[in-house]
Amino acid sequence: MDNAGLVRILKEVPACHLRIIDLAREAVKADGSIDPELISFRQIELKEAVAEAEAYAEATGEAVKCIKTLGRS
Amino acid sequence: MHQDPGPLLILAGKLLAAGPPSLSVLIARLQDSEAYGDFISLIREFLPEWEREILHEPVPARQMAVFASHFEDRYFPLDSNIMDGWETEYSDLTRQIPVIPRGFSYDDFSELSSSGRAGIELMTYLLENPYRDDDDRVALSEACKEHVPVEILQRVPQGGFPLQGLHRLLHKTKYEALALWGDEITMDTGNFFLDLDSETLYTGYAENINWSREDVKNLTTEWQQADRIDEGIYNLCEWLEQDPPVRFEELLDFLLERTTNGEEKSGKTAIVCGNGPG
């Protein structure tokens, strides 16, 4: 696959909604510091969001490997 | 008073809505671009107006599940693994049509005596066992005793009414669906889905089911026909369940009368009764 093909694929790939981004926005006070009370209320949601983000990070490694393999072929 | 959001809020919303790229879709596309291309072709061939919605899903499994959901609305249902989003590779969908087998295998037949449906158990008991399995028939008779007095069950001919000739006996009568049930338990309905069981499907038969416009059209017709056949059978089943002793005896009387009349005309010996459940 040439660079143009790879760029086309990257453009077409849909966005992924990571819940941790929403939570990071919601779990801060007006001054930007973390709101510990809100965090304590949303522990389960937070754990799930962290697990999702970790899985995404692992998949990033896989995607990089995939692109490197393509680059070598 | 309503106040429009400020430019920073709008910008924040836009940034959050963008999201990082779906890596599972990216990996699937890079690793198996051929299967992805086939998937796109399927969408454009069969569900072109849903392309945007399907591809908007962030992972291949969800894309295929949304595809399967819209496909079912227009054509026929696909395998539940696709529908439920368990299949993760595009090739699971694209290599052949993932059809749902609706045929009655031997295992399915053996479990009929514990189906919990009185109507199904009674209809099956009236018919000969296609697998000639005495144990199954004994289990079935035990199940039927829960719904109908033994005296009535004992009037069923030994081994049940023969499947051959059943259509002739019941043609254009309100009991015609019993003959269809006989076809179904022997996987001899002539319908693609009802004559296909999981074992046959997974031993290579599926390779012949291609994603062509013609096959999809034919299979859609076959699925609708299978539904009509099943509807007739389940209507008879429900009718029996409304009053099992009375309705079963009515059906049995009808069959015995027809059988006796038919055999008298053909000069054959009357059917042997009386060794049902004791």
Side-chain angles (χ1 to χ4, degrees):
Chain A
M1 185 182 296
D2 58 11
N3 281 348
L6 187 56
V7 169
R8 183 175 48 78
I9 287 176
L10 287 169
K11 278 184 181 171
E12 287 173 5
V13 168
C16 172
H17 188 84
L18 291 176
R19 277 176 293 172
I20 201 159
I21 295 175
D22 290 337
L23 275 174
R25 184 191 180 200
E26 290 163 20
V28 290
K29 293 189 272 191
D31 63 359
S33 62
I34 289 175
D35 183 342
E37 197 179 343
L38 195 140
I39 294 282
S40 68
F41 283 139
R42 300 175 73 170
Q43 275 299 309
I44 296 173
E45 207 181 332
L46 192 65
K47 273 185 188 167
E48 285 174 357
V50 168
E52 186 187 55
E54 283 172 352
Y56 188 86
E58 272 180 44
T60 307
E62 204 182 328
V64 169
K65 247 191 269 174
C66 210
I67 292 171
K68 278 183 177 171
T69 310
L70 274 176
R72 282 196 292 268
S73 63
Chain B
M1 187 178 145
H2 174 74
Q3 203 172 2
D4 287 336
L8 280 177
L9 267 180
I10 292 173
L11 182 61
K14 279 190 178 294
L15 287 171
L16 286 166
S22 165
L23 294 174
S24 50
V25 171
L26 176 63
I27 292 167
R29 288 199 57 176
L30 293 176
Q31 283 182 336
D32 197 353
S33 55
E34 192 180 336
Y36 179 79
D38 291 344
F39 180 56
I40 296 292
S41 299
L42 287 187
I43 298 171
R44 290 178 184 164
E45 176 74 26
F46 298 106
L47 300 166
E49 69 277 38
W50 296 107
E51 179 173 341
R52 199 181 165 84
E53 187 195 320
I54 292 167
L55 295 180
H56 185 68
E57 289 294 329
V59 293
R62 280 294 310 151
Q63 291 181 346
M64 290 190 286
V66 174
F67 173 90
S69 172
H70 289 303
F71 190 84
E72 178 182 9
D73 293 342
R74 185 169 305 169
Y75 305 100
F76 53 90
L78 299 174
D79 183 84
S80 61
N81 282 339
I82 301 280
M83 299 281 285
D84 298 340
W86 290 109
E87 299 292 8
T88 55
E89 292 180 13
Y90 291 118
S91 58
D92 293 324
L93 173 69
T94 58
R95 77 170 73 92
Q96 71 271 315
I97 304 178
V99 293
I100 301 174
R102 292 170 64 168
F104 254 85
S105 65
Y106 173 73
D107 288 341
D108 295 329
F109 186 84
S110 296
E111 287 166 11
L112 278 178
S113 57
S114 53
S115 69
R117 290 292 309 253
I120 291 290
E121 290 163 5
L122 291 168
M123 285 195 302
T124 312
Y125 186 67
L126 279 170
L127 306 177
E128 72 173 322
N129 182 321
Y131 302 101
R132 317 265 176 216
D133 188 328
D134 290 340
D135 290 343
D136 278 348
R137 189 140 183 94
V138 170
L140 203 52
S141 70
E142 288 298 322
C144 289
K145 278 197 279 188
E146 301 289 322
H147 319 299
V148 170
V150 173
E151 302 74 48
I152 300 175
L153 293 174
Q154 282 178 327
R155 295 178 54 217
V156 176
Q158 182 180 9
F161 286 93
L163 292 165
Q164 199 176 10
L166 207 57
H167 276 284
R168 185 178 44 79
L169 281 181
L170 299 172
H171 183 59
K172 288 192 175 172
T173 70
K174 68 175 184 175
Y175 315 114
E176 196 168 12
L178 183 66
L180 294 172
W181 179 237
D183 294 339
E184 198 157 309
I185 58 178
T186 49
M187 290 203 293
D188 189 26
T189 62
N191 178 274
F192 173 83
F193 290 101
L194 296 176
D195 294 349
L196 178 70
D197 65 357
S198 306
E199 199 179 329
T200 315
L201 181 66
Y202 300 127
T203 49
Y205 191 80
E207 287 165 14
N208 301 322
I209 313 166
N210 299 314
W211 274 110
S212 68
R213 169 71 53 187
E214 191 186 359
D215 277 1
V216 168
K217 187 181 169 200
N218 290 339
L219 289 174
T220 304
T221 309
E222 291 285 309
W223 185 271
Q224 290 162 352
Q225 186 200 37
D227 280 347
R228 282 195 298 275
I229 291 172
D230 274 350
E231 190 185 352
I233 291 166
Y234 284 103
N235 284 343
L236 181 64
C237 172
E238 281 187 358
W239 175 80
L240 272 168
E241 287 171 349
Q242 282 162 11
D243 191 350
V246 171
R247 299 256 161 108
F248 181 80
E249 191 166 34
E250 178 188 321
L251 178 54
L252 177 61
D253 286 341
F254 182 86
L255 284 164
L256 287 170
E257 189 189 325
R258 283 269 171 131
T259 312
T260 310
N261 287 343
E263 282 177 350
E264 275 172 2
K265 279 177 194 165
S266 64
K268 289 182 184 169
T269 318
I271 210 156
V272 180
C273 297
N275 76 335

